[in-house]
Amino acid sequence: MSSPKQIPTSIASTAHNHDRCISSAMQTARQVCSRSGARMTSLRENVLRLIWQSHQPLGAYKLMDMLAAASTRRVAPPTVYRALDFLLEQGLIHRINSLNAFIGCTHPSTRHANNFLICKACGIAIEFAYQGLQTSIDQTAAEFGFSIDAQSIELIGHCANCQATGGAPQP
Amino acid sequence: MSSPKQIPTSIASTAHNHDRCISSAMQTARQVCSRSGARMTSLRENVLRLIWQSHQPLGAYKLMDMLAAASTRRVAPPTVYRALDFLLEQGLIHRINSLNAFIGCTHPSTRHANNFLICKACGIAIEFAYQGLQTSIDQTAAEFGFSIDAQSIELIGHCANCQATGGAPQP
DNA sequence: TGCGTTATGTTATATAATAACATGTTTGTA
DNA sequence: TACAAACATGTTATTATATAACATAACGCA
């Protein structure tokens, strides 16, 4: 529950051992659930792992296909959406509204702001938290007497890497 | 093309003559189009007027029904979406991603930030521009070397009015 | 007037999400 | 252990949102 200053995502910044990154996220997830008394079932765990395995936000139907491919039996939309709803409730994933897609949350224990840089070229979504920005948001709301329950900040453009390399357009 | 400091929307703040508000928006729209050499056809004008007549963001299919109701002949989705795409391109409306809905832009000539306070109780969407917030956004992007093409900031919660009155839940 | 461009009409389909009800699984407890 | 309540998943159908592809109409200028 620490307060974030600035949390650059380890995903985007450099090459890294993503397997380790995933298993760390899965372990955190189990802790979160055990604290909240929620059940981390195998379906939910599979969904979360698939989401973490992708560096790009994953759509519900893509996820559904991946689950089906892994399991011989057919998987219907509600199965996926229920797992996604659960993970959203636990703060373990975010929904990116401008993409109708989902991505793992890099700091599930802190205030659950939904702040992303989204690259149109490579499709990566970089979660960020920045105290100065949050202060401005809170001030703005306060000036309107508005009370915030949830926030979604999506900045769409080109990441540093794609600017440098010319960035292949998204498939 | 002036730089906004803070632009409270006339819609939300107080009671006002909304007819005048709409006709002013329509006139601005014609100016914007004439400057950009785009054609403000009657379909597009009808769509824009319907959007402005609603204080709440309007979905494409709702809009389609309203058009159909007004015109004896049937209206198909592409008709509406093409008009919406045009209005988005001209900066005359915004898309609110968390609602899949559209709303008139209150300051089409300034930098086209997409910043909204969205009330869960009454459904109103209040557009705002605030220099301090924009500076924080730009700083954040700069720190990641990210270049912003478009931004979407949606703060979901309860407006001052609904907090005061208890606010009827959204139909 | 005629030609190229832009806008709209039309039909079909893709994509995203939920409703409603049936079945299975876990958990605590008598 | 056996049972009931709560929770999770399966299944079928449907709703909601958006676009593709091609046909026709209107406009704007040489």
Side-chain angles (χ1 to χ4, degrees):
Chain A
M1 311 293 173
S2 65
S3 175
K5 275 245 171 63
Q6 171 147 17
I7 305 179
T9 71
S10 51
I11 288 184
S13 41
T14 51
H16 69 293
N17 184 333
H18 196 47
D19 283 348
R20 179 166 304 175
C21 176
I22 294 168
S23 65
S24 153
M26 299 307 295
Q27 193 176 341
T28 304
R30 278 186 289 268
Q31 286 170 8
V32 167
C33 288
S34 107
R35 259 180 236 157
S36 70
R39 289 189 211 155
M40 177 54 89
T41 66
S42 72
L43 171 65
R44 291 163 175 175
E45 215 172 294
N46 290 337
V47 168
L48 183 58
R49 186 175 300 103
L50 285 170
I51 289 176
W52 267 99
Q53 276 167 1
S54 167
H55 280 194
Q56 299 171 1
L58 218 49
Y61 278 71
K62 182 109 186 255
L63 205 40
M64 200 175 80
D65 292 344
M66 294 166 84
L67 283 174
S71 92
T72 74
R73 65 190 309 167
R74 134 191 163 78
V75 178
T79 301
V80 175
Y81 280 103
R82 281 189 288 230
L84 290 170
D85 287 345
F86 172 86
L87 296 170
L88 285 169
E89 266 166 32
Q90 297 297 318
L92 296 170
I93 61 173
H94 290 284
R95 181 175 200 279
I96 301 200
N97 290 319
S98 60
L99 301 175
N100 295 341
F102 303 84
I103 193 164
C105 177
T106 51
H107 52 282
S109 342
T110 62
R111 171 174 171 178
H112 215 244
N114 210 350
N115 303 343
F116 287 95
L117 304 169
I118 300 164
C119 181
K120 287 200 283 193
C122 67
I124 202 171
I126 305 167
E127 182 169 1
F128 65 90
Y130 182 51
Q131 188 55 57
L133 173 57
Q134 195 56 54
T135 302
S136 292
I137 294 279
D138 292 343
Q139 272 174 8
T140 303
E143 287 192 32
F144 284 90
F146 189 93
S147 89
I148 299 178
D149 295 338
Q151 73 184 46
S152 157
I153 299 189
E154 299 176 12
L155 309 180
I156 295 98
H158 291 85
C159 70
N161 191 45
C162 286
Q163 284 175 66
T165 62
Q170 251 307 75
Chain B
M1 318 295 165
S2 63
S3 175
K5 276 244 172 62
Q6 172 147 16
I7 304 181
T9 71
S10 51
I11 288 185
S13 39
T14 53
H16 68 294
N17 183 332
H18 196 47
D19 284 348
R20 180 167 302 174
C21 175
I22 293 168
S23 65
S24 152
M26 299 307 295
Q27 193 175 341
T28 303
R30 279 187 288 270
Q31 286 170 8
V32 166
C33 288
S34 105
R35 259 180 235 158
S36 71
R39 289 191 211 154
M40 178 54 88
T41 65
S42 72
L43 171 66
R44 290 163 177 176
E45 216 172 293
N46 289 338
V47 169
L48 184 58
R49 187 174 301 104
L50 285 170
I51 289 176
W52 267 100
Q53 277 168 0
S54 167
H55 281 193
Q56 298 171 0
L58 218 49
Y61 278 71
K62 182 108 187 255
L63 205 40
M64 200 175 80
D65 292 343
M66 294 166 85
L67 283 174
S71 91
T72 74
R73 64 190 309 167
R74 136 192 162 76
V75 177
T79 301
V80 175
Y81 280 102
R82 281 189 291 231
L84 290 170
D85 286 345
F86 172 85
L87 296 170
L88 285 169
E89 267 166 31
Q90 297 298 317
L92 297 169
I93 61 173
H94 290 284
R95 181 174 202 281
I96 300 199
N97 290 319
S98 60
L99 301 176
N100 295 340
F102 303 84
I103 194 165
C105 176
T106 50
H107 52 283
S109 341
T110 62
R111 172 175 171 178
H112 214 244
N114 211 349
N115 303 342
F116 287 93
L117 304 169
I118 300 164
C119 180
K120 286 199 281 192
C122 67
I124 202 172
I126 305 168
E127 182 169 0
F128 66 90
Y130 181 52
Q131 187 55 55
L133 172 57
Q134 195 55 56
T135 301
S136 292
I137 294 277
D138 293 343
Q139 272 174 8
T140 303
E143 286 191 34
F144 284 91
F146 189 92
S147 89
I148 299 177
D149 294 339
Q151 74 183 46
S152 157
I153 299 189
E154 300 176 13
L155 309 181
I156 294 98
H158 291 84
C159 69
N161 191 44
C162 286
Q163 284 175 68
T165 64
Q170 250 309 74

